[in-house]
Amino acid sequence: MLAGPSAWAKTFAGLPEEAKAWNFERTPDAHHDVVVIGGGISGLAAAYKLKSLGRQDVLVLEARDRVGGRTLNAPSAGGGYVELGGQWVGPTQDAILRLMSHLGIGKFKTFNQGRMVNDTSETLNALELLDYLQAVRRIDNLSQRVLLNDPWNSPNAAQLDSMTVRDWMNQNMTTDAAKNLIDLTVQTDFGGPARSISFLWFLFYVRSGTDFDTMSDKAQRWRIEGGSQTVSLELSQRMQNQVALSANVDAVVWGPHGALIHYGGNRLVAAKKVVIAMMPKDIERMDFYPPLPADRKALQSNWSTGGGDKYFAVYPTPFWRQQGLNGQALSDNNFIIMSWDNSPASGTPGVLGGFGILEGENRPPTLALRRQLVLRSFADWFGPQAMNPISFHEKSWGLDPLTEGCVTPLAPGLLTAFGPALREPVGPIHWAGTETSTVWCGYMDGAVRAGVRTAKEIDQLLP
């Protein structure tokens, strides 16, 4: 049991007036060993692992009316589905693959039979290709020097973190075409241009994802049967009644005896330990009393989030396959910069997915206009049939009311300044979420690893 009201008296006495509005002094509605805030893959993996370690008294609080976090299945016409968030798994992503196997969730190969459409303004000649390959080799070599557990302590960390990926390319590459190809990869993987992303963060990401080729290509090898949200749905089902939905956390009081968590309008729960499994930027929506340490607060408030939209057009059949095309296209002169075949394993209905990167005032203001621009992009590559889908879907995580963005194009300087606060517990609070993983950071595999790591940390600390 947590300490009683008298043990919290000193903590309450130091609370500012605005904290007292949450009525933390009242008797909690429930007491738990662990409360997990965030019902995405990482939070659910933490809760599930804690239960497997014998810690049965766990409660998961999820602000949305669903589990899954940044994975989301949406039903589509023709009996299929589209995945509006993270969706791929690949080699060396052993944590998510093991979990899927344990849960009885299968995978199938991403369709890639046939030709890819290259709609970029430049096709690499021999000199440009050599420039590109040499750059990739140098990136891989540099990434191997980055320390996964503490990249901010890597050799030359300050220098690497002071420059952008584009800065490094300008200093080490000779052809614009090769630079632009890497920039396109960075844009699709990070949700931001190479000119805005820390080179140290980029190298850490490459090392975390094995190497450049594995991160940028092989990581998209397989799809998840039933859609990626199925992982969270299955974990939640196995947690039975230990997952609370529509349970948005407003404020947390923490101290040496544990934490009090105000959520869901006027609910109050006490916990010996807390797991917060969210992107650092999203944690800014919660109030903490006493305030979080300055470095942790700065990490969260300065955390970068990636923009861009994900679009899907659904057709009766994948007609592009009959043309010998695999549905993949790259472009630097169209509304959609990258497309892929997102059809289910059966092949019907046919689904084309695409990334669009225009945001803010540059983002077309209406769904009708965005739909038209997306379909024109698909039609340019795959023919006029693409203009007549049976359904259309879009998702902008940057406009989601509960998520600042889906990926992290971390800006220069933040990692070396505040990186050590990323995983360092604060009193009873432990940090999960894919951004805290040292392996496959930013991916579903990293989310699983972060949840399991946090569960093991807490298991060692609880009596």
Side-chain angles (χ1 to χ4, degrees), residues 145-390:
R145 304 174 193 173
V146 174
L147 306 177
L148 283 178
N149 289 328
D150 51 348
W152 41 87
N153 288 328
S154 301
N156 303 315
Q159 177 186 359
L160 296 172
D161 200 29
S162 69
M163 68 172 66
T164 68
V165 180
R166 192 73 191 195
D167 290 335
W168 182 87
M169 289 195 292
N170 288 338
Q171 295 172 18
N172 292 273
M173 300 175 69
T174 58
T175 65
D176 288 338
K179 294 177 189 177
N180 291 340
L181 183 56
I182 290 181
D183 203 342
L184 189 62
T185 299
V186 171
Q187 183 76 64
T188 55
D189 283 359
F190 291 84
R195 66 177 182 275
S196 67
I197 297 171
S198 158
F199 189 55
L200 177 63
W201 176 247
F202 171 73
L203 291 176
F204 165 73
Y205 232 74
V206 171
R207 174 80 191 281
S208 173
T210 309
D211 54 37
F212 185 88
D213 181 56
T214 304
M215 179 197 75
S216 62
D217 182 30
K218 294 177 183 176
Q220 291 78 41
R221 178 169 294 178
W222 300 301
R223 305 261 310 284
I224 297 174
E225 290 183 355
S228 54
Q229 191 186 1
T230 303
V231 175
S232 294
L233 292 169
E234 184 62 33
L235 285 172
S236 178
Q237 184 175 358
R238 297 192 182 204
M239 294 297 295
Q240 298 178 343
N241 62 348
Q242 292 174 273
V243 179
L245 301 179
S246 301
N248 186 57
V249 172
D250 307 295
V252 177
V253 168
W254 58 277
H257 308 292
L260 294 173
I261 301 146
H262 190 280
Y263 74 95
N266 195 33
R267 299 280 296 172
L268 186 66
V269 65
K272 296 176 183 176
K273 293 290 183 181
V274 178
V275 175
I276 299 183
M278 301 164 65
M279 178 184 279
K281 189 71 172 182
D282 293 331
I283 300 170
E284 287 289 277
R285 294 187 176 89
M286 292 184 282
D287 293 330
F288 291 86
Y289 307 103
L292 295 174
D295 56 349
R296 177 68 207 189
K297 178 68 175 173
L299 175 82
Q300 294 173 181
S301 61
N302 291 288
W303 194 264
S304 308
T305 59
D309 296 347
K310 201 174 185 186
Y311 299 97
F312 293 95
V314 182
Y315 306 90
T317 63
F319 59 85
W320 50 92
R321 296 184 185 182
Q322 299 169 4
Q323 306 169 32
L325 301 174
N326 61 17
Q328 298 175 26
L330 288 177
S331 177
D332 57 8
N333 58 11
N334 226 320
F335 181 72
I336 294 295
I337 65 167
M338 174 184 176
S339 75
W340 63 93
D341 186 321
N342 210 78
S343 309
S346 64
T348 54
V351 184
L352 284 174
F355 287 129
I357 63 172
L358 296 181
E359 55 186 332
E361 62 183 20
N362 294 320
R363 185 175 186 260
T366 66
L367 173 60
L369 181 54
R370 293 191 296 273
R371 181 182 187 275
Q372 187 73 2
L373 291 171
V374 170
L375 297 182
R376 284 179 183 172
S377 296
F378 290 162
D380 284 348
W381 304 326
F382 309 115
Q385 283 179 271
M387 294 299 298
N388 299 298
I390 55 177

Side-chain angles (χ1 to χ4, degrees), residues 98-106 225 234 238:
R98 280 196 302 267
L99 179 61
M100 287 166 52
S101 177
H102 172 75
L103 297 175
I105 299 172
E225 290 183 355
E234 184 62 33
R238 297 192 182 204

Side-chain angles (χ1 to χ4, degrees), residues 58-185:
V58 180
L59 174 67
V60 179
L61 301 178
E62 169 52 49
R64 295 181 173 87
D65 60 0
R66 63 168 181 83
V67 295
R70 287 170 276 171
T71 60
L72 176 60
N73 296 347
S76 70
Y81 59 88
V82 295
E83 295 151 297
L84 298 176
Q87 67 171 76
W88 289 288
V89 293
T92 75
Q93 295 184 7
D94 302 323
I96 184 71
L97 292 171
R98 280 196 302 267
L99 179 61
M100 287 166 52
S101 177
H102 172 75
L103 297 175
I105 299 172
K107 67 182 188 296
F108 63 98
K109 192 172 182 181
T110 301
F111 186 84
N112 64 355
Q113 299 174 31
R115 290 181 290 109
M116 175 181 177
V117 176
N118 183 357
D119 189 32
T120 56
S121 57
E122 298 165 295
T123 301
L124 299 189
N125 59 34
L127 178 61
E128 292 162 342
L129 179 61
L130 179 61
D131 190 28
Y132 173 81
L133 294 174
Q134 288 179 336
V136 169
R137 185 173 68 250
R138 290 170 184 164
I139 287 168
D140 281 339
N141 289 338
L142 286 171
S143 73
Q144 292 304 306
R145 304 174 193 173
V146 174
L147 306 177
L148 283 178
N149 289 328
D150 51 348
W152 41 87
N153 288 328
S154 301
N156 303 315
Q159 177 186 359
L160 296 172
D161 200 29
S162 69
M163 68 172 66
T164 68
V165 180
R166 192 73 191 195
D167 290 335
W168 182 87
M169 289 195 292
N170 288 338
Q171 295 172 18
N172 292 273
M173 300 175 69
T174 58
T175 65
D176 288 338
K179 294 177 189 177
N180 291 340
L181 183 56
I182 290 181
D183 203 342
L184 189 62
T185 299

